Amino acid sequence: MFWLDLATVTLLLPAVSSAVPHSRRATGLDSFLQSESSVALQGALDNIGPDGSGAQGASSGIVVASPSKSNPDYFYTWTRDSAMTLSMLIEQFLAGDTSLETTIHQYITAQATLQSVSNPSGDLSNGAGLGEPKFNTDMTAFTGAWGRPQRDGPALRASALMAYGTYLINNGQTSLAKTNIWPIVENDLNYVAQYWNQTGYDLWEEIQGSSFFTIAVQHRSLVSGSTFAQSLGESCTGCDSQAPQVLCFLQDFWNGSSVISNLANDGRSGLDANSLLGSIHTFDPNAQCDDTTFQPCSSRALSNHKLVVDSFRSIYTINSGKEASEAVAVGRYPEDSYMGGNPWYLNTMAAAELLYDALYQWNKQGSLSVTQISLPFFQSLVSSAAAGNYSSSSATYSSLTGAVKTYADGFMSIVEQYTPSNGSMSEQFSRDDGTPLSASDLTWSYAAFMTAVARRNGTMPGTWGESGANTVPTQCEGTSANGTYVTPTAVSW
Ligand SMILES: *[C@@H]1O[C@H](CO)[C@@H](O)[C@H](O)[C@H]1NC(C)=O
Ligand SMILES: *[C@@H]1O[C@H](CO)[C@@H](O)[C@H](O)[C@H]1NC(C)=O
Ligand SMILES: *[C@@H]1O[C@H](CO)[C@@H](O)[C@H](O)[C@H]1NC(C)=O
Ligand SMILES: *[C@@H]1O[C@H](CO)[C@@H](O)[C@H](O)[C@H]1NC(C)=O
Ligand SMILES: *[C@@H]1O[C@H](CO)[C@@H](O)[C@H](O)[C@H]1NC(C)=O
Ligand SMILES: *[C@@H]1O[C@H](CO)[C@@H](O)[C@H](O)[C@H]1NC(C)=O
């Protein structure tokens, strides 16, 4: 790939490495990303029980959100954060780090237990308890007041488990996938098929309504759930019947130039990193630049990327003086006031990851289209950009993709600039001076770093079947499929 990093180029071309022009030598960013990769992977593992140094007292396989126990207290296990962390670890496992398999097993075993813990959202009899956002680290229910339910968790957990289950199937361990993975996944898929058309809290746990991120990851889970079930000789009738309707509803979040991240009476602009995260967590390396699923290289995703990023340019002091073509620190949404309303590491890295994904998609299809919708995005990077279709052999393609790569790296350079020298990554950094703030060693920050850098390195996730599931029904309907829920049997490996 054309953005192959210099370390690899040097390995491939040892005889000419000394002739590489100075400007193409490993940059500070490359060396930061390399050293931080070890810190981030270890940082995530440190927050997983029973042995992680930041997860003392947590049960086996339980991912804590952060070791921080006060201001804020994040010493709990969230279904969403845990699933995204495990998706990253499973990706690293599939890329060759076999040492991670025990942790993956422990996580799955823990989820089998957690699914049947009755909690304030409900229990497993009608699936409602699966929407509970967080549990205590000893796997008991958290009974305090909270924004619940949150309906993205089951979808994300199903997708993480299916990634590992697909590996088992492809490696002659179908029966293990059937006994240990499918019962958990089936409950989660049935939950999504039954409850997708009901409101819940968004991923930031603040807004009750319908959230773009939630609906996007739900659609993905149902589409891949259908194929995964078939490969086990099972079926997911709710997946088949509901997925097209979930995609239909997803279109309601698009307003013509950006994603309105929450459909709710929330008094916000709608610009929110929720949408960047939605695109990267439904990225399919086999997809075209489809608008209906907001693929990273789609006109919709790029137009939205610009509007979301621009919404943070003038409000943070640390972003002042940056040109429109330069990356800036990205928060959750411009109206945010939580902990002072600061940029977040994981959102700044999501802005980069979306662009690395898009570069992969353009490179794979051998062309790039600039449409009226995506034109403002491209023009802010290359002022002469014009609508058109550019083959990868054209100079325009090289200039546009080169500018996108530089822009994407800019977001990672901001993360580098505001990460302390020991590599520890908290949740936020100050809008005034970049000092790390809020929860320390946030597991999700480390997971977000790993996936962004993996995409930059050319490591892609598996397909979820987007190319067979991007046609929007002509009429949207608010539907539901009643599911059945079965207590997962004790899992042994
Ligand atoms: C979509 O919403 C964004 C954010 O509120 C706004 O800036 C933009 O003008 C809207 N676009 C259209 C076409 O209505
Ligand atoms: C780019 O190609 C698409 C698909 O063939 C076509 O619909 C569109 O009009 C083209 N755009 C330009 C500006 O030529
Ligand atoms: C890393 O550095 C930060 C900032 O100086 C500090 O707060 C944190 O305790 C350090 N972490 C470790 C594990 O030393
Ligand atoms: C990215 O590639 C570099 C150089 O090969 C490597 O050191 C690093 O671990 C990789 N990081 C990830 C997250 O894949
Ligand atoms: C349910 O789906 C219908 C059709 O897409 C949509 O109009 C409605 O807003 C949805 N409601 C919720 C809460 O998801
Ligand atoms: C789903 O279950 C509810 C409650 O048992 C029932 O009222 C409803 O008719 C069922 N819906 C479908 C589509 O089977």
Side-chain angles (χ1 to χ4, degrees):
M1 263 148 276
F2 66 87
W3 62 90
L4 208 64
D5 63 56
L6 186 71
T8 316
V9 173
T10 306
L11 285 174
L12 293 172
L13 305 168
V16 298
S17 63
S18 62
V20 172
H22 179 71
S23 62
R24 296 198 50 216
R25 281 183 198 283
T27 61
L29 180 61
D30 285 324
S31 74
F32 165 71
L33 298 179
Q34 187 164 353
S35 60
E36 185 67 19
S37 289
S38 328
V39 176
L41 177 59
Q42 191 57 47
L45 294 172
D46 283 349
N47 291 348
I48 304 179
D51 301 321
S53 58
Q56 292 301 301
S59 301
S60 171
I62 287 295
V63 181
V64 305
S66 154
S68 175
K69 291 184 175 173
S70 65
N71 192 33
D73 182 1
Y74 282 11
F75 201 75
Y76 294 94
T77 187
W78 270 262
T79 304
R80 170 182 43 258
D81 297 42
S82 304
M84 291 191 298
T85 302
L86 264 291
S87 281
M88 176 277 283
L89 293 177
I90 291 163
E91 200 176 279
Q92 293 289 320
F93 166 74
L94 296 176
D97 189 345
T98 54
S99 72
L100 299 172
E101 196 164 27
T102 302
T103 302
I104 294 167
H105 289 168
Q106 289 171 340
Y107 164 77
I108 295 170
T109 301
Q111 301 312 301
T113 300
L114 277 181
Q115 278 199 333
S116 49
V117 174
S118 298
N119 60 65
S121 293
D123 60 29
L124 192 58
S125 62
N126 64 356
L130 299 174
E132 178 69 1
K134 73 174 197 183
F135 293 84
N136 296 318
T137 58
D138 63 357
M139 300 202 282
T140 58
F142 167 74
T143 55
W146 209 253
R148 56 169 69 92
Q150 295 177 21
R151 306 189 195 279
D152 53 349
L156 293 164
R157 178 167 56 198
S159 291
L161 264 62
M162 288 189 282
Y164 182 66
T166 300
Y167 158 81
L168 291 178
I169 293 167
N170 292 341
N171 286 275
Q173 293 181 278
T174 302
S175 64
L176 196 58
K178 203 156 174 160
T179 55
N180 287 13
I181 310 269
W182 175 245
I184 305 170
V185 168
E186 186 179 25
N187 285 335
D188 282 338
L189 295 175
N190 285 345
Y191 177 87
V192 174
Q194 182 163 353
Y195 295 101
W196 70 268
N197 199 221
Q198 296 186 25
T199 57
Y201 278 82
D202 69 320
L203 78 173
W204 308 135
E205 317 193 285
E206 294 174 342
I207 302 275
Q208 172 147 40
S210 297
S211 160
F212 175 82
F213 176 82
T214 300
I215 299 295
V217 299
Q218 287 180 335
H219 176 245
R220 172 195 167 144
S221 72
L222 294 178
V223 172
S224 55
S226 198
T227 310
F228 185 70
Q230 278 170 34
S231 62
L232 290 173
E234 301 282 348
S235 65
C236 179
T237 54
C239 297
D240 302 335
S241 68
Q242 302 305 301
Q245 282 306 324
V246 180
L247 180 66
C248 209
F249 184 39
L250 190 67
Q251 311 312 306
D252 284 7
F253 293 84
W254 176 246
N255 80 343
S257 58
S258 72
V259 171
I260 301 303
S261 286
N262 294 291
L263 301 181
N265 279 330
D266 60 358
R268 295 187 190 167
S269 67
L271 300 173
D272 191 319
N274 171 322
S275 55
L276 306 180
L277 292 161
S279 281
I280 64 176
H281 286 282
T282 57
F283 162 58
D284 186 325
N286 289 359
Q288 303 292 307
C289 299
D290 295 314
D291 274 333
T292 58
T293 59
F294 298 82
Q295 285 302 299
C297 65
S298 68
S299 293
R300 284 181 176 183
L302 296 170
S303 174
N304 178 66
H305 188 285
K306 174 173 165 55
L307 284 166
V308 171
V309 171
D310 284 355
S311 76
F312 297 105
R313 288 184 184 278
S314 62
I315 66 171
Y316 298 152
T317 304
I318 59 169
N319 289 344
S320 67
K322 301 271 183 161
E323 306 285 338
S325 60
E326 286 181 278
V328 291
V330 176
R332 301 193 300 178
Y333 51 91
E335 303 86 352
D336 195 4
S337 61
Y338 173 63
M339 295 271 169
N342 294 288
W344 284 42
Y345 293 96
L346 70 93
N347 290 328
T348 305
M349 294 188 285
E353 182 170 334
L354 190 151
L355 301 177
Y356 295 135
D357 292 344
L359 286 162
Y360 174 85
Q361 292 179 313
W362 290 318
N363 188 51
K364 186 166 188 212
Q365 72 188 21
S367 67
L368 175 159
S369 293
V370 177
T371 68
Q372 288 305 327
I373 302 287
S374 61
L375 185 58
F377 168 83
F378 286 106
Q379 277 181 333
S380 65
L381 304 184
V382 176
S383 57
S384 62
N389 296 318
Y390 305 104
S391 144
S392 58
S393 58
S394 67
T396 305
Y397 178 96
S398 303
S399 133
L400 294 175
T401 53
V404 170
K405 171 64 164 55
T406 301
Y407 189 46
D409 281 353
F411 292 99
M412 299 308 289
S413 293
I414 285 168
V415 166
E416 175 185 11
Q417 183 178 353
Y418 298 118
T419 297
S421 56
N422 63 11
S424 141
M425 237 179 238
S426 55
E427 181 183 69
Q428 310 179 22
F429 48 105
S430 162
R431 62 196 288 156
D432 299 321
D433 62 12
T435 309
L437 291 175
S438 189
S440 58
D441 297 301
L442 189 79
T443 317
W444 188 358
S445 294
Y446 292 130
F449 176 89
M450 292 299 290
T451 55
V453 177
R455 300 299 170 270
R456 185 179 189 270
N457 278 357
T459 302
M460 300 296 144
T463 178
W464 55 267
E466 191 276 352
S467 55
N470 55 37
T471 304
V472 180
T474 48
Q475 184 154 3
C476 292
E477 286 164 33
T479 56
S480 166
N482 281 358
T484 53
Y485 302 89
V486 177
T487 303
T489 44
V491 168
S492 72
W493 299 96

